[in-house]
Amino acid sequence: MSILIKNGRIITATDDFFADIFVDGQTISSIGRNLNVVADTVIDASGKLVLPGGIDPHVHLEMPFMGAFSSDNYETGTLAALHGGTTTVIDFVIQSQGKSLYDALRQWQGRANGNVYSDYAFHIAVTDFNANTQLEIKDLIEKEGISSFKTFMAYKGALMIDDRQMVGLMNEVKKYGGIVTVHATNGDVIDYLVEQNKTAGNLSPLYHYLSQPEITESEATGRFTDMAFETGVNSYVVHISSEGALNKIREAQKRNQKVFGETCIQYLVLDASVYNLGFESAKWVMSPPIREKKDQAALWAAINQGIVQTVATDHCPFMWGDKCKGEKDFTKIPNGAPGIEHRMELLYSEGVNKGKISLNKMVDIASTSSAKIFGMFPQKGTIAVGSDADIIIFDTTKKHVLSASTHHHHCDYSAYEGLEVIGKADTVILRGNVAIENGNVKIKKGYGEFVKRSKVTNIL
Ligand code: URP
Ligand code: ZN
Ligand code: ZN
């Protein structure tokens, strides 16, 4: 199977040029002006952008959490990702406390195997670091191609680890060249504020937001980056939502520490007014919560300053019925929201189209930097000879309205209901096969492959 993409404007993280792309099999075979080749399929990309397929480095598919399962499984979630131009996702395997990391990996492999549309990789969340867990790290990195380890400084009593476990894990991961990532919020302070609110009878979703003030995020971010500095491990802070946390990352980067930052599309697009809607605000109960307009502005600036390298979704949808379990008590609302489909189009519409970021920056934060940080570059994350032919043809003129009635998420509400966006991926190619064409699915369930990742490089 071969594809010739003609006359497109190719954008990578660094380049912007007009050329044809010839795809032979699963990879890009040549790039040049007026390529004189015969192909099985010819796509005319005149007037369109040709971008590397998106990489979403933070999604939760079919995750057991707070008494429910996130409502997109590997089939529906990765298909929704492809519809939006994301061709690779990195999901989280989550260790159960008292069990091994391999035990969790086998469970997650069982759910994913044969069901995935996009390509995918795993991070492993370490919720119980002990002498046995320690022994598993080497093989996970060297045999399984899983080089990133997630930690939680919150969700006390469920996922949270303490600082002693954190530095132990950091030292072990460092030995084998991996990276430690973190949900950086102060679990003890949040726990205290939650209890205070519950005692005072403050039980609506607004109090989820008020129980996680900015300092809970900035304090934990600073503590984490200090521990990473002390141990010398490469590190990455997920879903940064606030200016205070950004300041801690900036400080760490100033001492030339390898710490990378991720924000999520919802923190760039939405603001805390979503918590003034009574129980409807449960749709946006996530951790950290959506913050203020000043944080939004700081996040866009941090992207341009290179403090934040990636934009993810933290896609973790729950059906409204599950959210309603917290109708009388916000602590029972499963945390998370849908978004996997909309990341690329929102980055274009709210970012590039509104003059906040350049096209090269969009490609960098939506694809290239994730590939580099997480050991997939240059197989993924760029348009280059020899790279996987993960390519999207993006129409910058297409207007559409985001809605639960049209999205592909398996979720009965949208976090962006009624928002008009401009720009859409109209053709999505994954490893040399057209996966989506004008909204129609052209590949079968199970086409998606697991990406074994190399050790994290020092490419950035
Ligand atoms: O609220 C969120 N973010 N849910 C998913 C789990 C996590 O903390 O990333
Ligand atoms: Zn988190
Ligand atoms: Zn998450």
Side-chain angles (χ1 to χ4, degrees):
M1 172 78 181
S2 59
I3 303 176
L4 178 63
I5 304 167
K6 287 192 72 64
N7 305 319
R9 180 177 167 200
I10 300 171
I11 314 283
T12 69
T14 48
D15 297 313
D16 183 343
F17 58 102
F18 288 87
D20 302 341
I21 299 175
F22 181 56
V23 173
D24 195 10
Q26 303 211 348
T27 55
I28 296 172
S29 174
S30 51
I31 301 171
R33 286 272 165 90
N34 304 315
L35 287 182
N36 187 13
V37 287
V38 177
D40 300 321
T41 305
V42 177
I43 298 173
D44 182 11
S46 304
K48 312 256 175 85
L49 302 180
V50 180
L51 313 175
I55 299 174
D56 190 336
H58 187 157
V59 307
H60 301 278
L61 301 173
E62 214 175 330
M63 176 174 80
F65 192 44
M66 298 182 72
F69 273 84
S70 57
S71 58
D72 262 316
N73 59 22
Y74 286 91
E75 177 181 345
T76 60
T78 57
L79 193 51
L82 279 179
H83 276 286
T86 290
T87 48
T88 303
V89 300
I90 316 185
D91 189 44
F92 292 85
V93 169
I94 306 208
Q95 177 192 21
S96 294
Q97 290 178 343
K99 300 246 173 78
S100 73
L101 299 176
Y102 264 95
D103 183 74
L105 177 60
R106 299 291 173 237
Q107 272 184 48
W108 259 258
Q109 284 170 330
R111 288 201 273 269
N113 276 347
N115 292 322
V116 186
Y117 276 92
S118 71
D119 281 357
Y120 68 107
F122 287 136
H123 307 284
I124 296 216
V126 179
T127 64
D128 186 2
F129 186 71
N130 55 45
N132 295 330
T133 320
Q134 183 171 349
L135 296 175
E136 298 181 280
I137 302 292
K138 181 177 191 290
D139 279 357
L140 286 165
I141 295 177
E142 295 183 351
K143 294 198 178 134
E144 312 297 337
I146 299 175
S147 49
S148 45
F149 296 85
K150 167 82 176 288
T151 57
F152 292 90
M153 295 169 86
Y155 300 121
K156 200 169 161 60
L159 306 174
M160 178 170 155
I161 59 170
D162 62 24
D163 293 350
R164 189 192 174 101
Q165 293 182 73
M166 182 71 87
V167 287
L169 175 67
M170 284 175 165
N171 277 322
E172 198 61 17
V173 170
K174 188 189 169 203
K175 268 192 219 162
Y176 304 105
I179 188 166
V180 174
T181 80
V182 71
H183 169 128
T185 60
N186 185 317
D188 282 312
V189 175
I190 293 170
D191 210 44
Y192 172 79
L193 294 174
V194 163
E195 196 182 289
Q196 294 259 303
N197 275 316
K198 284 184 73 162
T199 307
N202 298 328
L203 297 169
S204 73
L206 173 65
Y207 292 94
H208 169 81
Y209 164 67
L210 293 174
S211 299
Q212 299 202 30
E214 184 173 1
I215 63 100
T216 58
E217 188 181 356
S218 54
E219 184 282 329
T221 304
R223 187 158 34 101
F224 172 81
T225 55
D226 281 350
M227 288 186 279
F229 184 63
E230 176 61 22
T231 58
V233 73
N234 287 343
S235 62
Y236 177 99
V237 181
V238 307
H239 55 40
I240 299 166
S241 67
S242 67
E243 187 183 8
L246 287 172
N247 289 338
K248 301 291 180 166
I249 307 261
R250 179 185 286 110
E251 287 304 309
Q253 289 170 346
K254 264 172 30 192
R255 61 191 172 195
N256 212 13
Q257 186 179 344
K258 279 260 178 298
V259 53
F260 305 108
E262 168 199 285
T263 189
C264 297
I265 194 66
Q266 58 272 28
Y267 301 121
L268 292 165
V269 172
L270 303 173
D271 66 68
S273 59
V274 296
Y275 297 115
N276 293 331
L277 302 174
F279 188 70
E280 198 193 339
S281 299
K283 291 176 180 171
W284 298 276
V285 164
M286 63 181 75
S287 295
I290 306 286
R291 302 214 186 262
E292 308 295 328
K293 285 213 183 301
K294 63 104 184 159
D295 298 294
Q296 240 182 43
L299 287 166
W300 283 111
I303 287 172
N304 282 322
Q305 292 158 359
I307 294 166
V308 162
Q309 285 78 28
T310 66
V311 176
T313 58
D314 193 8
H315 178 74
C316 190
F318 291 97
M319 287 303 204
W320 185 242
D322 283 326
K323 289 278 186 182
C324 285
K325 288 176 188 161
E327 217 158 353
K328 295 196 170 57
D329 174 357
F330 71 88
T331 63
K332 304 226 159 28
I333 302 170
N335 286 204
I340 204 168
E341 182 174 355
H342 302 314
R343 187 180 63 114
M344 304 282 285
E345 54 206 24
L346 282 169
L347 276 175
Y348 182 80
S349 190
E350 295 290 315
V352 177
N353 182 53
K354 293 191 174 170
K356 294 191 174 97
I357 53 170
S358 69
L359 274 171
N360 297 115
K361 186 56 103 173
M362 172 181 160
V363 168
D364 195 15
I365 59 180
S367 179
T368 314
S369 279
S370 287
K372 288 179 175 176
I373 293 168
F374 292 115
M376 294 187 279
F377 188 83
Q379 178 192 351
K380 304 279 186 199
T382 195
I383 292 181
V385 172
S387 292
D388 280 1
D390 299 346
I391 299 170
I392 64 180
I393 320 280
F394 194 86
D395 183 345
T396 58
T397 63
K398 205 167 216 159
K399 285 191 176 153
H400 56 120
V401 175
L402 306 187
S403 170
S405 61
T406 48
H407 71 195
H408 296 87
H409 303 142
H410 181 60
C411 187
D412 48 7
Y413 74 87
S414 170
Y416 305 98
E417 189 68 39
L419 182 68
E420 185 178 81
V421 297
I422 187 159
K424 189 164 185 52
D426 57 20
T427 306
V428 180
I429 298 168
L430 173 57
R431 274 180 294 101
N433 275 296
V434 174
I436 305 287
E437 192 176 41
N438 294 319
N440 299 310
V441 184
K442 299 289 183 187
I443 53 170
K444 295 218 164 19
K445 183 171 90 167
Y447 179 76
E449 283 184 355
F450 179 71
V451 185
K452 265 192 161 183
R453 295 180 285 122
S454 65
K455 289 185 188 183
V456 176
T457 62
N458 282 339
I459 213 155
L460 282 177

